Amino acid sequence: MSDARVAPAQENARRSRRRKVRWDLLFLAAAAAALVALSLTVEGKGDRAWRASLENLREMAFILPAVLVIMGLFMVWVDRSLVVKYLGKGSGMRGMLICIALGTLPTGPLYVGFPMAAALLKKGARVSNVLAFLCSWAALSIPAELMELRFLGWDFMLARLAFTVTLIVPLSLVGERLCARPGETGDGGPTGADGAE
Amino acid sequence: MSWTAVGIDSVALVCLLLSLLKSREKTLTALRIAWNALKRLAPGVLAIIAVIGLIVGFVPPSWILSAVGSERGILGAMAAALLGAVLFIPGIIAFPLAASLRSMGAGTTAVAAFITTLTMIGFVFLPLEIKELGRRFTLVRNGLSFLAALVVALLMGLVLGG
């Protein structure tokens, strides 16, 4: 490949990355402005809002860096071939069960799982397995189940748990089909950022 | 600081120390990857935290009650599922809210739809999810989760009644 072909591609990538950053900065600015404006104009509600935000901020300050450090170590130490073997194309039902089990580990809200899921994809995990991992992360957290048991009763909690778990497998398999684009092999892809390899 | 945080912080610390013992260089690379990810995610995460404050502070539970509680059957489940997808409420508030939804007369189907989309879908997370996993993946995951939530809710209604 000649340099002439590579340079514009990089330029494009850089430009689109910049545009995405601006989007979430915009989102942040809007949310923060709304929070300030509403707590100044609506009497007596602002305290509750700020308390909820600060509580979550504190929680995230303790959880997010730890999750990202684990993600970084995973990227550096875990061999791509290992991920492909256990969670890749030929991993079958066992790979999916491993992913569902990984998702149940208590680790906080769903969005903390996104960078971890991206790391799994980069290392060669199947799309369906990553979908199962995220669904299980969202739906099967043990602290949440305990809350549900307490407030909605055991029959509600057990029935919802059973139906959700049963649906995760077909959802992930269908999702993989829908994600596959023509001409793509679906085995992760050379997204870079693998660090030392 | 919650037990979750204590647990995950200790795991990260132990892994970090083990890694440091094996290779200083690789550990530094790992930390650099983590730092870059943190920089990339920070605006989105802060925005989510601000929106949580907005929802908890300025969306009165009575609005949610009247939106979910008034409709029954599939329409009620749809409304509840949509509301659950748009809102993001921490579990500590969400489950008591669901309990009061039920005591105000909302059916099992609606309450199940609300709780399921609340946990599996977050409109607030969309920018972050698109950034990390791509637009197509995000669309597929959220779309299918919405359908799954409706199926779960309807099955719940059949099994538990109402």
Side-chain angles (χ1 to χ4, degrees):
Chain A
M1 253 182 272
S2 68
D3 283 356
R5 249 198 76 189
V6 174
Q10 274 174 347
E11 183 54 38
N12 271 346
R14 203 175 308 131
R15 202 175 301 144
S16 76
R17 205 178 312 133
R18 215 181 298 145
R19 199 170 55 220
K20 275 174 199 160
V21 168
R22 253 189 236 146
W23 258 111
D24 52 341
L25 281 178
L26 208 72
F27 183 30
L28 171 60
L35 193 57
V36 171
L38 278 174
S39 49
L40 286 179
T41 49
V42 182
E43 285 285 304
K45 294 281 179 84
D47 260 13
R48 198 169 138 80
W50 283 103
R51 221 178 314 122
S53 278
L54 286 177
E55 218 167 86
N56 269 277
L57 183 64
R58 190 156 20 112
E59 184 80 1
M60 264 316 104
F62 283 112
I63 290 180
L64 192 62
V67 171
L68 294 179
V69 164
I70 293 172
M71 191 269 290
L73 291 170
F74 169 82
M75 287 306 274
V76 170
W77 286 109
V78 179
D79 230 18
R80 187 181 168 89
S81 60
L82 194 78
V83 179
V84 170
K85 184 178 163 204
Y86 286 102
L87 307 175
K89 281 215 122 180
S91 60
M93 206 56 217
R94 192 178 59 166
M96 183 157 287
L97 288 178
I98 293 175
C99 276
I100 292 178
L102 281 177
T104 58
L105 296 175
T107 31
L110 178 61
Y111 59 90
V112 178
F114 297 151
M116 207 61 227
L120 281 172
L121 276 179
K122 272 178 207 155
K123 284 279 182 182
R126 257 182 92 154
V127 173
S128 65
N129 288 344
V130 175
L131 278 167
F133 169 74
L134 277 180
C135 287
S136 138
W137 185 310
L140 309 180
S141 103
I142 294 162
E145 294 309 323
L146 290 178
M147 295 278 285
E148 185 168 357
L149 177 69
R150 206 173 111 207
F151 284 102
L152 296 168
W154 63 269
D155 50 347
F156 188 96
M157 182 273 235
L158 277 183
R160 207 179 67 83
L161 188 64
F163 291 136
T164 313
V165 175
T166 321
L167 277 172
I168 284 180
V169 176
L171 185 155
S172 308
L173 292 172
V174 171
E176 182 178 76
R177 283 278 169 83
L178 293 176
C179 279
R181 261 162 288 195
E184 204 175 280
T185 45
D187 60 351
T191 335
D194 278 41
E197 267 205 344
Chain B
M1 200 165 159
S2 68
W3 286 112
T4 310
V6 173
I8 195 154
D9 280 354
S10 348
V11 170
L13 206 63
V14 170
C15 292
L16 202 60
L17 287 176
L18 285 177
S19 167
L20 205 58
L21 282 178
K22 274 191 94 175
S23 158
R24 198 185 134 86
E25 213 170 296
K26 280 195 161 193
T27 309
L28 282 179
T29 311
L31 285 178
R32 200 157 41 232
I33 293 174
W35 172 244
N36 283 336
L38 188 66
K39 276 195 296 192
R40 197 173 64 232
L41 295 173
V45 169
L46 288 175
I48 291 171
I49 287 169
V51 171
I52 292 173
L54 283 174
I55 291 173
V56 171
F58 301 105
V59 179
S62 55
W63 289 5
I64 300 173
L65 288 173
S66 60
V68 175
S70 56
E71 288 277 357
R72 292 226 142 208
I74 295 195
L75 233 68
M78 283 285 269
L82 268 178
L83 207 62
V86 174
L87 294 180
F88 175 67
I89 309 177
I92 205 158
I93 299 168
F95 287 104
L97 181 65
S100 52
L101 278 177
R102 199 161 59 166
S103 68
M104 303 260 302
T108 307
T109 318
V111 176
F114 180 68
I115 283 290
T116 309
T117 52
L118 205 55
T119 51
M120 291 184 77
I121 303 175
F123 273 37
V124 194
F125 305 159
L126 286 180
L128 209 61
E129 189 170 0
I130 289 171
K131 199 171 192 180
E132 288 297 291
L133 294 159
R135 193 163 299 179
R136 195 178 179 102
F137 184 101
T138 304
L139 219 90
V140 166
R141 195 192 69 80
N142 285 283
L144 288 178
S145 295
F146 191 80
L147 287 181
L150 284 181
V151 173
V152 167
L154 293 176
L155 288 173
M156 295 274 296
L158 286 179
V159 171
L160 299 176

